[in-house]
Amino acid sequence: MEKVTLTINGMQIQVPSNYTVLEAAKEAGIDIPTLCFLKDINEVGACRVCLVEVEGAKSLQASCVLPVRDGMVVRTNTKNVRETVKTTVELILANHNRECLTCFRNGNCELQRLSEELGIEEVSFQGEKRVGTVDDLSHSIVRDSSKCILCGRCVNVCKKVQEIGILDFTNRGFNTEVAPAFGKSMADAPCIYCGQCIVACPVAALREKTDMERVWDAIEDPDTHVIVQTAPAVRAA
Ligand code: SF4
Ligand code: FES
């Protein structure tokens, strides 16, 4: 593979010409934060957390989808980059269900970790929030759109890795959510419950149903005393 030479944070490096700036930085030991990026699965430039400054460019660029060029000069840690990324994450948080203390992913959430790393202590933007839905009809996967950051990782893992594609973006604009088509529950979609979407999700918008929740869902038939598995309807978050 042909190589190109570029400069990142003053360090000159040579990388294959099919690399992105994110890959080149990683090879040079330079950490660029990411959120929507999932190598070879979700390379869509959706979250804008991986922004970098490129000499000569009018605006900041998403490094995860930015191909390297010979002679490119990149900076990953300028004041402009730091402040813009911090604001971007604050905007994501502004429309996110932030009940972290009672969240399934508390302490193991990529958004929470990123917010800590960026030193976000309060969210400056307060406004209308998307009305979320909780789908806990299936016996094993719970989807809570109030926590979804619309990164698309689950969509592409279901489509490209499992080749099933039951999840996709539905609705538009402020009401966009990631769900099975036609307002179906995960229980009614042809989901095989592989759990790949849960593994791909950076937050707790998709999670495994706990054993305790399965017990709560169970209802005993008063006549036969047989446990009948049931579940509540899709409800507002
Ligand atoms: Fe991303 Fe999770 Fe939302 Fe899927 S459910 S788009 S993985 S945040
Ligand atoms: Fe690059 Fe999301 S990680 S845009």
Side-chain angles (χ1 to χ4, degrees):
M1 172 69 64
E2 192 195 333
K3 297 244 178 182
V4 299
T5 303
L6 71 160
T7 306
I8 307 183
N9 296 352
M11 194 189 306
Q12 210 175 59
I13 54 165
Q14 255 201 349
V15 292
S17 57
N18 64 349
Y19 267 35
T20 61
V21 169
L22 180 69
E23 287 174 307
K26 193 173 175 202
E27 194 137 307
I30 296 165
D31 187 44
I32 298 177
T34 59
L35 198 51
C36 67
F37 176 77
L38 214 50
K39 175 112 183 86
D40 296 330
I41 297 170
N42 201 49
E43 301 183 358
V44 293
C47 72
R48 320 310 279 180
V49 161
C50 64
L51 292 177
V52 294
E53 229 172 66
V54 180
E55 219 166 79
K58 287 197 180 112
S59 56
L60 298 178
Q61 312 278 310
S63 62
C64 68
V65 287
L66 182 64
V68 290
R69 269 186 288 107
D70 206 36
M72 207 174 196
V73 177
V74 179
R75 292 180 200 92
T76 71
N77 199 22
T78 62
K79 188 167 183 278
N80 186 19
V81 168
R82 286 198 309 272
E83 284 179 354
T84 309
V85 171
K86 195 170 171 185
T87 304
T88 303
V89 175
E90 274 192 63
L91 285 166
I92 295 172
L93 288 168
N95 196 20
H96 181 73
N97 174 347
R98 300 198 299 278
E99 290 168 359
C100 299
L101 278 183
T102 52
C103 181
F104 196 75
R105 291 283 297 265
N106 189 20
N108 179 29
C109 167
E110 290 184 36
L111 181 59
Q112 191 181 40
R113 192 175 58 232
L114 187 60
S115 307
E116 281 166 12
E117 281 170 10
L118 294 170
I120 296 174
E121 288 168 358
E122 60 180 324
V123 178
S124 340
F125 310 104
Q126 302 297 340
E128 197 186 343
K129 276 194 176 184
R130 179 183 52 218
V131 178
T133 51
V134 175
D135 173 9
D136 54 7
L137 287 170
S138 96
H139 54 73
S140 57
I141 296 179
V142 177
R143 184 182 65 79
D144 180 352
S145 73
S146 70
K147 295 181 180 171
C148 179
I149 57 166
L150 302 175
C151 66
R153 281 162 53 157
C154 59
V155 172
N156 276 320
V157 87
C158 190
K159 208 174 279 176
K160 294 183 187 168
V161 178
Q162 293 304 93
E163 298 183 353
I164 295 175
I166 68 141
L167 290 168
D168 215 329
F169 293 92
T170 61
N171 304 332
R172 287 179 178 208
F174 197 59
N175 296 321
T176 304
E177 70 174 85
V178 166
F182 309 117
K184 279 190 178 177
S185 158
M186 300 283 283
D188 299 325
C191 178
I192 58 164
Y193 304 114
C194 65
Q196 290 288 342
C197 59
I198 296 173
V199 176
C201 185
V203 291
L206 288 161
R207 67 168 177 84
E208 242 180 281
K209 196 171 239 187
T210 62
D211 286 346
M212 189 50 80
E213 283 172 301
R214 289 191 192 105
V215 170
W216 289 331
D217 287 352
I219 288 183
E220 194 178 295
D221 184 304
D223 299 324
T224 62
H225 296 290
V226 170
I227 298 292
V228 183
Q229 201 72 31
T230 180
V234 176
R235 56 185 161 81

